[in-house]
Amino acid sequence: MKRSLSILIAVLIISCKGNNEGTNKVLPIDKQATEETKKLYANLFNIKDKGFMFGHQDDLAYGVEWKYEEGRSDIKDVTGDYPAVYGWDIGRIENNADKNLDGVPFDKMREYIKQVYDRGGVNTISWHINNPMTGGDSWDNTPGTVASILPGGEQHEKYKRWLDSAAAFLLSLKGSDGKPVPILYRPYHEFTGNWFWWCKNTTSKEDFINLWKFTVNYFQEKGVHNLIYVYNTSDANVNTKEDFLAYYPGDNMVDMVSFDIYQSGGGEKQDKFINDTKRLVGIIDEVAQERSKLSAIAECGYEQVPYEKWWTETLMNSIGNHEISYVLVWRNHGWNEWMKPPRMHYYAPYKGHQYEKDFIEFYKNNKTLFQQDVTKFNLYK
Ligand code: BMA
């Protein structure tokens, strides 16, 4: 009797342990997500306590004063290692264009995404989609655009064609193993701002949520099952958890919660940025824990990084001990003559940057994860 009781207890302990450690405990919202997508999702939960991944937009395509040099990356030039997360934007795929809005050829983007997956890095995609109602760009925030593309709206068929183009691209992303590459997909980003046609000032909550649901369901109908869906606000107009969740489409529609925030100004320390970021990181961490989701700072940066301790002090202090998945800084365009005023437009250091040493310290910090770290975690297995 005693013996059988202890066997029973042993069996119970083993089975409980199995459940807790099972990597399938957390599943992405897409019930038909590919195996690699499910593995990535579960592994991102598993590595949360190891640190946060560092990401960079368009990292492999170009940097400050170079373009399309095979294997090059400003982050690698500075640290010897690539980032762990690589951001891409598919704006202009809706026109079936050859290049995205920032001039990156889609064929090259596909190749970079493959390289990243092959070496165990993580790809994330946003879409600065043109305005389907006016023919303007994402920043044409004419009211009523979202309503016009929903079912029953005048531009609905056009919107579906645009989604078809995006779906074809997303389905074409394959690793060397022939498997679809999992993507952290971040549609309709920064909606709490007032600069895009899907933003809060011109779009009702109901229309935004309907657009989100329609888009997720449409991609799934088209057989796109390699997406992890990332909900994203700006820092603008987000003071509380309620503000953050203002247009949240539901736990069955979102895998990860995130926000974007930028520092601006002339190189001073700026406690305001740290305090704002801390508050928002606290909000996403809380929301993620309550809803069993992941969290991230999906876009961030200080153009030209003019403060000497921005990486080790400003950014590290802003994140603190919160277990976010990643922080991504925006693109290293270099000299940008279209900006007003024309200026150097970059957010990551490059070889020779005045404060690259601080970034090397940031790289060495145990809490920051770069390519070599995540390769060891085998995120797709
Ligand atoms: C902005 C700038 C623009 C760019 C856009 C989309 O922040 O970098 O030059 O076109 O992002 O990538």
Side-chain angles (χ1 to χ4, degrees):
M1 184 64 184
K2 240 187 171 174
R3 189 153 178 255
S4 55
L5 190 65
S6 50
I7 290 173
L8 181 67
I9 289 168
V11 167
L12 280 174
I13 289 171
I14 290 166
S15 53
C16 284
K17 219 175 163 213
N19 274 341
N20 287 338
E21 287 179 359
T23 46
N24 284 335
K25 201 175 63 167
V26 277
L27 290 168
I29 59 158
D30 181 352
K31 302 257 179 316
Q32 295 183 65
T34 65
E35 274 314 301
E36 291 69 28
T37 306
K38 287 184 191 160
K39 286 278 156 51
L40 174 63
Y41 194 59
N43 281 323
L44 290 181
F45 279 91
N46 290 340
I47 68 165
K48 262 189 342 177
D49 62 349
K50 309 263 190 298
F52 58 87
M53 299 184 285
F54 175 77
H56 185 211
Q57 185 73 6
D58 284 345
D59 185 75
L60 303 172
Y62 55 83
V64 174
E65 291 180 355
W66 62 271
K67 271 185 169 55
Y68 310 111
E69 292 179 29
E70 193 52 37
R72 193 162 175 193
S73 144
D74 276 343
I75 300 301
K76 185 161 178 275
D77 283 355
V78 170
T79 66
D81 195 2
Y82 290 108
V85 176
Y86 304 70
W88 311 105
D89 193 282
I90 57 170
R92 304 290 186 274
I93 199 92
E94 61 274 20
N95 297 346
N96 297 312
D98 294 337
K99 295 176 178 169
N100 85 344
L101 79 164
D102 297 319
V104 182
F106 285 109
D107 283 346
K108 287 199 185 293
M109 195 187 289
R110 185 183 295 110
E111 186 52 37
Y112 297 138
I113 288 173
K114 181 183 191 178
Q115 287 174 15
V116 167
Y117 169 79
D118 284 354
R119 60 174 176 245
V122 177
N123 289 289
T124 176
I125 288 183
S126 53
W127 189 0
H128 281 84
I129 179 172
N130 281 343
N131 184 315
M133 187 173 79
T134 63
D137 62 20
S138 300
W139 291 269
D140 175 340
N141 57 2
T142 308
T145 303
V146 171
S148 85
I149 64 175
L150 287 171
E154 274 177 20
Q155 307 300 333
H156 182 60
E157 291 307 314
K158 187 199 239 178
Y159 181 56
K160 287 205 294 193
R161 286 198 300 277
W162 287 12
L163 289 181
D164 289 340
S165 301
F169 181 72
L170 295 166
L171 285 168
S172 76
L173 303 173
K174 300 271 170 63
S176 291
D177 59 5
K179 302 282 171 60
V181 178
I183 301 290
L184 307 181
Y185 180 58
R186 183 170 63 101
Y188 303 117
H189 63 293
E190 300 178 358
F191 75 86
T192 59
N194 59 7
W195 42 86
F196 296 132
W197 54 259
W198 55 86
C199 279
K200 258 184 92 179
N201 62 322
T202 54
T203 306
S204 71
K205 172 179 179 170
E206 196 191 1
D207 284 350
F208 184 89
I209 291 178
N210 284 337
L211 177 65
W212 187 285
K213 289 183 175 166
F214 178 83
T215 306
V216 170
N217 290 332
Y218 192 84
F219 276 148
Q220 292 184 7
E221 275 168 32
K222 294 284 151 179
V224 180
H225 296 297
N226 52 332
L227 305 184
I228 287 172
Y229 288 89
V230 185
Y231 173 82
N232 178 256
T233 71
S234 159
D235 61 319
N237 305 310
V238 183
N239 293 309
T240 63
K241 190 165 86 176
E242 288 65 39
D243 295 337
F244 178 77
L245 290 170
Y247 284 15
Y248 187 70
D251 288 342
N252 61 347
M253 284 281 137
V254 171
D255 294 308
M256 184 185 267
V257 294
S258 69
F259 66 91
D260 294 359
I261 189 165
Y262 286 90
Q263 183 168 343
S264 55
E268 66 278 22
K269 193 165 165 230
Q270 278 197 12
D271 288 335
K272 185 183 180 306
F273 175 84
I274 300 186
N275 292 336
D276 287 348
T277 311
K278 268 188 182 166
R279 180 170 40 79
L280 286 157
V281 170
I283 291 174
I284 56 169
D285 192 4
E286 195 180 323
V287 169
Q289 286 192 42
E290 282 171 4
R291 297 166 184 267
S292 300
K293 304 293 176 189
L294 295 167
S295 67
I297 305 179
E299 276 184 43
C300 173
Y302 192 4
E303 193 182 64
Q304 300 175 17
V305 206
Y307 177 57
E308 61 183 341
K309 297 266 181 212
W310 196 77
W311 304 102
T312 55
E313 192 185 280
T314 307
L315 190 55
M316 286 312 280
N317 289 345
S318 299
I319 296 172
N321 290 323
H322 292 285
E323 294 188 348
I324 63 172
S325 290
Y326 72 91
V327 57
L328 177 144
V329 297
W330 207 238
R331 57 200 205 94
N332 274 15
H333 179 93
W335 180 253
N336 192 328
E337 60 193 48
W338 301 285
M339 296 195 101
K340 289 177 195 129
R343 59 181 183 267
M344 289 297 278
H345 181 54
Y346 63 85
Y347 295 90
Y350 54 89
K351 192 91 201 139
H353 184 266
Q354 60 175 339
Y355 302 134
E356 70 177 289
K357 264 209 197 129
D358 189 55
F359 189 79
I360 294 170
E361 288 307 310
F362 173 80
Y363 172 72
K364 286 186 191 152
N365 190 306
N366 284 339
K367 289 210 59 183
T368 60
L369 307 175
F370 284 69
Q371 180 68 68
Q372 286 170 21
D373 301 304
V374 293
T375 298
K376 287 185 204 133
F377 295 138
N378 269 321
L379 295 175
Y380 301 102
K381 296 232 159 66

